[in-house]
Structures are given as C-alpha cells and as structure tokens.
C-alpha cells in the first residue's frame, strides 16, 4: 500500500479534494457539538448559557494545546507512508496514543483542580459553580478527544479518511438527542419510550456528559477503522526520541493556534471600548467565518498529507505541485467566500437576525472580512503545506509577528488613533493576516526549491 503517483495538476486537485472533504466534514462536526451544547443550554437559562460560554473558552485553550502537540504526528506519519515505511507510521500512532492519554489526563487534572483552587485564592464569580459541574464532566473526555486526533492524524496520513465522516455524523446525531434528554430529562416524553421517561434533568451536567460520551463514540469508530488498516503491530515500549520529536514539531503548532485565536479575543476586548454593539457585530461576523475556516483548515490538512507523501518519497517536483495546488485551492475557495461577503452583506445580516443597532456596523465589517478572506485562506492552507514538510516553527513565529507585531498596532492606529472604531480594528486584523500570508508563500517557495528532507526522530 502506497500513495498514488500524480503527474498532472488536474489529478492532483482531485486527489487533494478526496482527502479534504472528509476532513472538512470532521472539522465542521467538531464545531457543531459545541454549538449544540450552547443552543440547548440557551433554552435552559441565562446562568447555564453564561457558564458554558466561559467553560468552552477554557476548553478551547486546553484542547488546542493538546491537539497542537498531537498534530506533530502529521508530517511524520505522512512522510513515513510516502516512503513506504508503514511500520513506522503505525509506531507513530502508538506513541501518539501514549501522548494523548498522558497529556489528556494531566490537562484534565490541571483544569478541574484549578477550578477548585480558585476560591482558596480568593477568586470567585457567579458562574464558577456551574463551570465546575460542566468542566468536571467534560474532563474525562479530554484523553478521548486527543486519542481521536491521534487516530485522525494516522488515518489521514495513510489516506483513509472515510471513517472520520462516519464518526462525525454518528457522534453529532447522538449528541443532539442525548443533549436534550440529559439537560431537560425524560419526564415529558411519550409513554411508549418507557425507561427514557425516568432520565432525570441534569442541566449543565447533562450537556457535558453527552459530549463526553460522544467523544468516546467518535474515538471508538475511528479506532475500528485503524484496526482495518493492514500492518498492525503490537504495542511497543515508548521510544523517547520519537515522543521528543513529536513534541518538538507539535508545540509550535499549539502556540500558533493559541496566538491565532488570541488576537480575535484581544480584538473583541478592544471593541468593548466602542460599546456593546461593536462586540456583538464582531461575534456575528466571526460566526460566519467558522465555515470558511473549517474548509481552509481541511484543505490545509489534506495539503499537509499530500506534501508529506511527496517528501517521504523524495520527490521535490511532487512537493511543489502538491503545495501549489493546495494553496491555489484555498485561494480559490476564499475568493468565492470573499465574493459572497462583498456581494450579499445585507442578505447575511438579515439571515442571522441581527439587532437593529448592530446592523450599521455589520455591513462594513463584512466588507473588510471579504478583503482578508484570501489572506486567511492562504495562511490556513499554507500552514498545513509547511507542516507536511516538517516546518512548524516558522509558521508559529510568523503568526505571532504578523498578529501582534503588525496587526495589533495597525488595529490600534486605525481603530483608536484615526477614529475608525471597530471597522478599524478589523482592518488591522486584515493587515496582519496579509503579512503572514505573504511570509508563508515565501517560505514554501524557498523550501521547495531544494529536496526537502524527511523528519527523523
């Protein structure tokens, strides 16, 4: 079993999207589970909604750290498969699983323990008791989530992504039903459902329990898919060199993710100075960006695999072709997104049902969003392409420098210095993203002029 050899751009495009579509569905499904929790708890009460909103922010940071570390497997698995070394790819899966369990347990203990330490340090707020309930029941799911990411890295690295779609659809269907049942209880169900009528209303704990159970279900489905891949090897003893290499590659990815999301949080905080309407407008625009992000992230992951296969095979021409086709695909998709934002801003405003006082800000924000769609797409896909080459540190540095060295100062200048308000803040974000996109393209072209060396433990 080895990756297909591709000679034309058209064939490369088809192979890229065969990999990308299941990954995109999995990305959207992961976001959808958190959205369902929020939507269900919004009907349970304001206190529950507020607690889960803060809790999901904490979870995002924790999961991002873990997911970034696990993504250090991506270039190693795909390059091993490209080189025909399927046994090493399987060893990487085992070592990633060890990391997922250990990191997941440690993160869970720190997360929950930190919540119970806060009152002892004199920190207390109204949402804290509900946050303890929610995060305590989500904590057992952290190792399972990281195990799912590990299996995903392996399956996409060997070109078997169909199970990701099955796991995502099944888990989201179960989560929707279980969320409603466990949050509100079964007392109102029809008599023929029998024992389900006895399920108590668990409130915020029920939402957390549902999501944790679905994390286990997702991992079980992809684990079965892994077992069906030929070349199974017994569980080996941990090789610290392999774990160190994965952490070395993965830690910059964690920092990249946190820095990328951090700038949006900083922008939202800066927008508070212009009133609640500005914060609401930014949140609405960001909600539209979730779809675009999921697609470009999926293309980036598929591009990472395609480039990794070529690096492993020692084929520099294929590296360049795979990378350029992935970048072009991301650019084309985000150009279409930009066109939608620019051509139909009023329709998008009406679709989401924005309050009247927010509407005047949304249209200009959507126009600025249209401007940076291209840069955002190139950055998302380019980070994946470079990851396939084993280059993760440059991307992390570029993101930090672009967001905080260029984007934030320009945002402050436009938003506050020149009085452009929240639109100026969004314009600063655009400047930072454009800088990063140019840096990513430059780095790829520079590295791809020679034969990239595979990552070695």
């Amino acid at each position: 079993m080895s990756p297909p050899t591709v000679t034309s751009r058209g064939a490369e495009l088809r192979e890229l999207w065969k990999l990308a579509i299941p990954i995109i569905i999995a990305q959207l499904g992961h976001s959808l589970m958190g959205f369902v929790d929020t939507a269900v708890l919004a009907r349970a009460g304001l206190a529950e909604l507020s607690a889960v909103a803060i809790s999901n922010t904490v979870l995002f940071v924790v999961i991002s750290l873990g997911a970034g570390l696990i993504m250090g497997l991506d270039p190693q698995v795909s390059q091993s498969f490209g080189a025909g070394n399927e046994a090493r790819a399987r060893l990487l899966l085992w070592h990633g699983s060890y990391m997922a369990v250990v990191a997941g347990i440690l993160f869970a203990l720190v997360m929950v323990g930190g919540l119970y330490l806060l009152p002892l340090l004199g920190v207390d707020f109204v949402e804290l008791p509900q946050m303890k309930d929610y995060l305590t029941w989500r904590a057992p799911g952290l190792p399972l989530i990281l195990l799912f990411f590990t299996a995903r890295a392996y399956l996409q690295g060997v070109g078997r992504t169909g199970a990701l779609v099955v796991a995502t659809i099944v888990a989201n269907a179960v989560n929707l039903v279980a969320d409603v049942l466990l949050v509100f209880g079964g007392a109102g169900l029809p008599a023929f459902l029998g024992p389900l009528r006895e399920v108590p209303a668990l409130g915020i704990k029920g939402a957390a329990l549902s999501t944790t159970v679905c994390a286990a279900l997702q991992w079980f489905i992809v684990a079965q898919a892994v077992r069906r891949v030929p070349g199974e090897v017994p569980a080996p003893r941990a090789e610290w060199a392999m774990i160190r290499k994965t952490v070395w590659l993965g830690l910059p990815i964690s920092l990249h993710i946190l820095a990328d999301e951090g700038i949006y949080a900083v922008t939202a905080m800066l927008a508070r100075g212009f009133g609640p309407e500005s914060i609401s407008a930014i949140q609405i625009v960001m909600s539209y960006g979730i779809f675009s992000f999921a697609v470009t992230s999926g293309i980036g992951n598929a591009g990472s695999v395609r480039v990794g296969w070529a690096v492993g095979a020692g084929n520099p021409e294929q590296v360049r072709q795979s990378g350029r086709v992935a970048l072009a695909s991301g650019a084309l998709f985000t150009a279409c997104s930009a066109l939608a934002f620019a051509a139909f801003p009023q329709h998008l405003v009406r679709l989401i049902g924005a309050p009247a006082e927010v509407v005047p800000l949304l249209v200009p924000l959507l126009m600025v969003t249209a401007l940076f769609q291209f840069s955002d797409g190139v950055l998302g896909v380019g980070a994946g392409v470079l990851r396939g080459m084993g280059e993760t540190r440059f991307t992390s540095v570029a993101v930090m420098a672009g967001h905080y060295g260029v984007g934030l100062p320009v945002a402050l200048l436009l938003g506050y210095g020149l009085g452009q308000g929240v639109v100026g803040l969004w314009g600063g974000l655009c400047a930072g993203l454009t800088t990063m996109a140019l840096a990513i393209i430059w780095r790829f072209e520079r590295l791809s002029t020679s034969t990239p060396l595979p990552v070695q433990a």
Side-chain angles (χ1 to χ4, degrees), residues 85-105:
N85 192 347
E86 296 159 31
R88 185 170 186 272
R90 202 66 170 225
L91 285 174
L92 286 162
L93 169 68
W94 276 112
H95 283 77
S97 299
Y98 299 156
M99 288 176 57
V101 172
V102 172
I105 292 172

Side-chain angles (χ1 to χ4, degrees), residues 5-15 306 318 321-322 325:
T5 301
V6 174
T7 55
S8 71
R9 290 189 181 92
E12 176 64 41
L13 186 65
R14 287 191 295 274
E15 293 296 327
R306 297 288 307 161
Q318 185 68 56
Q321 177 167 275
S322 295
V325 168

